[in-house]
Amino acid sequence: MIDSNEGSSTLRNPGKEPIRQFVIYAEHKVGWLNDFVSMLKEEDIHILALSVSDTTDTAVIRLITNCPKDLARFLKGQSISFTERLILAVELDDTSSLFKVTQSLLRAEINIHYIYSFMHQPNGRPVLAMAMEDEDIAEDALRSHQVRILTQDDLSR
């Protein structure tokens, strides 16, 4: 889990807060997601990207919000078990951009663990959340192919 007290900059992007993804393992219960979304709405925490996968025992909910520190405090306060990880969010220019992204990562020999899209498009363009085995090398590879990588600041505008 990522420490909520970490600085808000990365080595590659000083002053730019990386994007934090939260993973919640929720019980199989009708209405759980609705109740959760309702509680976030009351806290003024907005879901920007969401992925829900069903497993035998639980639902795996991956989400990115406008206020990651507030979400971490909220989850702890509600005793909701979660983990965090940094992910890359890439902005796509057009339909051929996805090929540029996958080709850049293939050339860098980076495996993609999973991808899901954002509901919120900060610049009116599609955005993908991507988890990989090595985000630093992936970031270098993507930037070298002129792929725009977003930060939390880009999402909060």
Side-chain angles (χ1 to χ4, degrees):
M1 185 163 69
I2 297 170
D3 183 1
S4 298
N5 296 324
E6 285 182 358
S8 64
S9 64
T10 64
L11 294 175
R12 297 182 193 288
N13 294 308
K16 300 284 186 174
E17 187 173 344
I19 297 174
R20 292 164 45 191
Q21 170 193 265
F22 292 79
V23 181
I24 298 167
Y25 299 93
E27 61 183 309
H28 283 294
K29 181 180 169 190
V30 173
W32 191 95
L33 184 61
N34 180 69
D35 294 344
F36 180 69
V37 170
S38 176
M39 288 187 296
L40 293 184
K41 183 178 177 185
E42 288 175 17
E43 297 293 320
D44 202 28
I45 298 172
H46 305 284
I47 297 173
L48 306 177
L50 176 69
S51 170
V52 179
S53 302
D54 191 30
T55 68
T56 306
D57 300 324
T58 60
V60 179
I61 301 170
R62 293 182 173 99
L63 69 149
I64 298 167
T65 68
N66 62 323
C67 302
K69 291 177 183 173
D70 292 345
L71 179 60
R73 278 192 288 276
F74 172 78
L75 294 171
K76 288 175 187 173
Q78 295 294 316
S79 299
I80 297 173
S81 179
F82 69 96
T83 60
E84 293 179 63
R85 77 172 286 172
L86 299 180
I87 58 101
L88 292 181
V90 297
E91 186 176 80
L92 303 179
D93 294 326
D94 53 36
T95 54
S96 66
S97 295
L98 182 57
F99 177 70
K100 184 171 29 171
V101 167
T102 58
Q103 186 179 44
S104 300
L105 296 173
L106 174 62
R107 286 183 178 161
E109 298 181 2
I110 298 292
N111 287 326
I112 301 169
H113 295 169
Y114 52 85
I115 296 176
Y116 57 99
S117 61
F118 274 68
M119 297 182 295
H120 170 71
Q121 298 175 343
N123 297 314
R125 294 187 176 130
V127 177
L128 296 177
M130 302 175 60
M132 292 156 272
E133 62 187 7
D134 190 324
E135 281 80 14
D136 289 338
I137 293 174
E139 185 174 345
D140 287 342
L142 293 166
R143 286 191 193 282
S144 73
H145 287 90
Q146 289 73 48
V147 174
R148 182 160 188 252
I149 299 172
L150 302 178
T151 65
Q152 188 67 43
D153 299 335
D154 296 315
L155 301 179
S156 299
R157 291 182 188 161

